[in-house]
């Protein structure tokens, strides 16, 4: 019998996490297929597109990376794409920090795999499970693995059938992921005061996006939320 307080790992947890991630599939499929389409139109080879999906594995960063993609690379363009990817993905630092209490007793190899595969959707699945008293780390990894696999498959489909993939906004499919995030956040609600950092982060992101070009609004919102949370606590 596992302690309800001590984290553990099981294959049953892997299966549970994979099932819990099912609602995120439509958004993942549409986003990664759209990336595959854009990559093909940009002139990337299938290997290059799959390399980005497999190792960068972050929709926003992959799309931004395509904007600065060059057929002939120089040290400057390499530095540019590295910087842009790092800035857009900086939010992952916060996700990794929040799961530290859950993963701190895990083997290093499994920790590295969990943190490499973490996404907002997988994090929401795992955090909801953890806050409900669950401690099976397999849930976090199961959700992460199945989402990564779905991302790779949909990238391939988008690459080869991109011209046939309709514009997601035409059917409102661009709202799938925001709706998924919103629904998964509901169980995390613990009152107005703890939710203030969410409000601050959203407001700062919105204002920054309206006033400044680029993708700094993501970092600005994240930092504002962290600062707000520290001040409230």
């Amino acid at each position: 019998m596992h302690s309800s307080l001590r984290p553990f790992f099981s294959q049953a947890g892997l299966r549970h996490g994979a099932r819990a991630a099912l609602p995120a599939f439509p958004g993942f499929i549409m986003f990664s297929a759209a990336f595959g389409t854009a990559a093909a139109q940009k002139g990337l080879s299938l290997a290059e597109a799959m390399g980005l999906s497999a190792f960068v594995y972050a929709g926003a960063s992959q799309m931004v990376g395509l904007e600065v993609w060059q057929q002939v690379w120089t040290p400057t363009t390499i530095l540019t794409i590295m910087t842009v990817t790092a800035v857009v993905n900086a939010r992952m630092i916060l996700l990794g920090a929040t799961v530290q209490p859950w993963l701190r007793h895990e083997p290093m190899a499994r920790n590295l795999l969990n943190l490499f595969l973490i996404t907002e959707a997988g994090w929401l699945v795992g955090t909801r499970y953890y806050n409900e008293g669950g401690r099976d780390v397999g849930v976090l990894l199961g959700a992460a693995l199945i989402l990564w696999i779905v991302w790779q498959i949909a990238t391939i489909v988008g690459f080869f059938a991109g011209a046939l993939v309709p514009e997601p906004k035409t059917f409102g499919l661009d709202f799938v992921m925001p709706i998924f995030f919103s629904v998964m956040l509901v169980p995390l609600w613990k009152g107005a005061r703890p939710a203030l950092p969410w409000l601050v982060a959203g407001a700062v992101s919105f204002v920054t996006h309206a006033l400044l070009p680029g993708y700094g609004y993501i970092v600005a919102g994240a930092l504002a939320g962290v600062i707000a949370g520290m001040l409230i606590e």
Side-chain angles (χ1 to χ4, degrees):
M1 187 73 176
H2 292 289
S3 166
S4 60
L5 298 178
R6 177 78 178 186
F8 61 96
F9 180 89
S10 75
Q11 292 187 1
L14 285 173
R15 294 191 292 270
H16 179 85
R19 290 193 299 270
L22 284 173
F25 280 19
F28 262 60
I29 290 170
M30 290 307 301
F31 206 142
S32 53
F35 166 75
T37 300
Q41 294 173 347
K42 186 74 173 180
L44 274 68
S45 67
L46 178 61
E48 290 169 333
M50 292 305 300
L52 283 170
S53 275
F55 298 109
V56 178
Y57 184 44
S61 295
Q62 290 176 222
M63 289 297 193
V64 173
L66 286 180
E67 295 183 12
V68 294
W69 191 269
Q70 303 292 325
Q71 294 301 322
V72 178
W73 289 93
T74 65
T76 301
T77 54
I78 292 174
L79 180 61
T80 299
I81 198 169
M82 288 173 60
T83 302
V84 168
T85 302
V87 169
V88 175
N89 277 356
R91 67 194 188 281
M92 298 299 177
I93 298 173
L94 303 179
L95 300 189
T98 60
V99 297
Q100 191 273 342
W102 197 5
L103 301 182
R104 60 186 173 187
H105 299 299
E106 281 286 286
M108 178 63 72
R110 201 151 61 214
N111 268 343
L112 292 175
L113 183 60
N114 253 317
L115 295 174
F116 171 74
L117 294 175
I118 197 168
T119 60
E120 290 92 338
W123 175 84
L124 282 168
V125 169
T127 300
R128 177 178 180 179
Y129 168 81
Y130 185 88
N131 287 344
E132 291 174 347
R135 292 297 181 268
D136 191 340
V137 182
V139 171
L140 184 66
L141 185 56
L145 281 171
I146 195 66
L147 289 173
W148 184 86
I149 292 171
V150 168
W151 191 267
Q152 309 314 310
I153 294 173
T155 297
I156 295 174
V157 172
F159 187 89
F160 285 113
L164 302 178
V165 175
E167 171 59 45
K169 292 182 179 180
T170 302
F171 301 95
L173 295 176
D174 53 319
F175 283 103
V176 171
M177 288 302 281
I179 291 172
F180 169 77
F181 292 148
S182 300
V183 171
M184 293 298 292
L185 281 172
V186 170
L188 302 180
W189 177 268
K190 296 180 179 179
R193 186 170 180 270
L196 283 175
W198 301 0
L199 178 62
V200 171
V204 170
S205 293
F206 180 80
V207 173
T208 304
H209 183 269
L211 297 178
L212 299 176
Y215 298 88
Y217 68 94
I218 298 175
V219 177
L223 291 176
V226 170
I227 294 171
M230 292 172 62
L231 292 175
I232 291 171
E233 291 298 323

